[in-house]
Amino acid sequence: MNKWKILADKVLAGEEITETEALSILNCPNDELLLLMDAAFQIRKHHFGKKVKLNMIMNAKSGLCPENCGYCAQSSISTATIDSYRMVNKDTILQGAKRAYEQNIGTYCIVASGRGPSNRELNSVVDSVKEIKKLYGLKVCACLGLLKPEQAQRLKEAGVDRYNHNLNTSSNHHSTITTSHTYDDRVTTVNVVKEAGISPCSGVIIGMKETKQDVIDMARSLKALDADSIPVNFLHAIDGTPLEGTNELSPIYCLKVLALFRFINPSKEIRISGGREVNLRSLQPLGLYAANSIFVGDYLTTAGQEENEDLQMLQDLGFEIETVEEMKASLAMKGK
């Protein structure tokens, strides 16, 4: 029996992997990659079978952000050319929800740039979510920046199922990426969301000059936070940002990272997110042997793969899309 299968059996038995074992995953010899991904798949299959969750982003407000995050084209220090606009109206948000429903995409993510939502922006999201729930019953995820407890409560009452606020990197590496807010600010928002009864979504960006130990620390921090959904982004360096020209990832290393996150967070939704097309390239399908969720369509300021290509990829893999109706049934069960 190979060592990766033994490690997967250990995880399935409820044990945590050690620091040495975690590092060995990231240092897995390339000629053992398929054995590693098969072991990750055994954990993924145990918890999720062959189901894949689909997510779609609505970029409801773009640019105009006062923060100084080094990876982001929307930040105050970026000179990247992007579309900048204030919060779109309710009709635009509803049109996006209709598109998601018609394409059988179970989770609709409303994202707005900025440090945190203004009262007007929060009111717009609250009104939109109530209508989305009434018309389509989609799972709604909001991503609006740092949240106060009373804001989280309003989102919960409106019907928001999930709130995304990424840690992005490790506590140790955070100050090299941004100084306009702290790592603890991000952790606090995730906890505020949990206290309001909203499912926490929090993830990372890989490829920002962090160490392998940073990557392990990220995965463990998200386990400690008990994030239900973990988006794993791979840096798509944008000209005009401080990380412009950074290109330290290979498709094989990205797969090892996804395997690591599955071994450390075995029962959680792990989503291959921004940068998968440019970093995983032809190895994208293998990522789904560890992850069980993807974004369909474009991201915030970068384009995604064509939807029909994603659907063909899933079909070729023999995986099954979690339908909107299955998602609704799952939400109803959790509500009981």
Side-chain angles (χ1 to χ4, degrees), residues 82-143:
I82 61 166
D83 290 335
S84 293
Y85 49 84
R86 299 197 178 278
M87 183 73 77
V88 299
N89 59 32
K90 183 168 79 171
D91 285 347
T92 302
I93 296 175
L94 290 176
Q95 286 167 15
K98 182 174 186 287
R99 193 161 63 251
Y101 180 78
E102 290 173 346
Q103 295 175 4
N104 211 22
I105 296 169
T107 303
Y108 183 57
C109 308
I110 303 171
V111 184
S113 63
R115 182 177 177 85
S118 66
N119 288 335
R120 185 185 67 82
E121 290 165 349
L122 192 71
N123 290 340
S124 177
V125 172
V126 164
D127 290 345
S128 299
V129 172
K130 289 177 180 177
E131 196 75 11
I132 290 167
K133 285 294 184 178
K134 188 189 309 180
L135 293 172
Y136 308 114
L138 294 171
K139 177 187 284 187
V140 176
C141 177
C143 178

Side-chain angles (χ1 to χ4, degrees), residues 116-119 121-123 125-126 129-130 140-165 185-201:
S118 66
N119 288 335
E121 290 165 349
L122 192 71
N123 290 340
V125 172
V126 164
V129 172
K130 289 177 180 177
V140 176
C141 177
C143 178
L144 313 173
L146 301 174
L147 271 194
K148 300 171 185 174
E150 59 271 21
Q151 293 174 318
Q153 194 57 49
R154 286 197 63 200
L155 292 173
K156 171 66 176 177
E157 291 168 359
V160 169
D161 303 286
R162 178 167 284 170
Y163 194 87
N164 167 258
H165 196 65
D185 287 335
R186 289 186 169 272
V187 171
T188 296
T189 285
V190 176
N191 284 324
V192 162
V193 165
K194 289 167 63 176
E195 289 165 9
I198 299 174
S199 170
C201 171

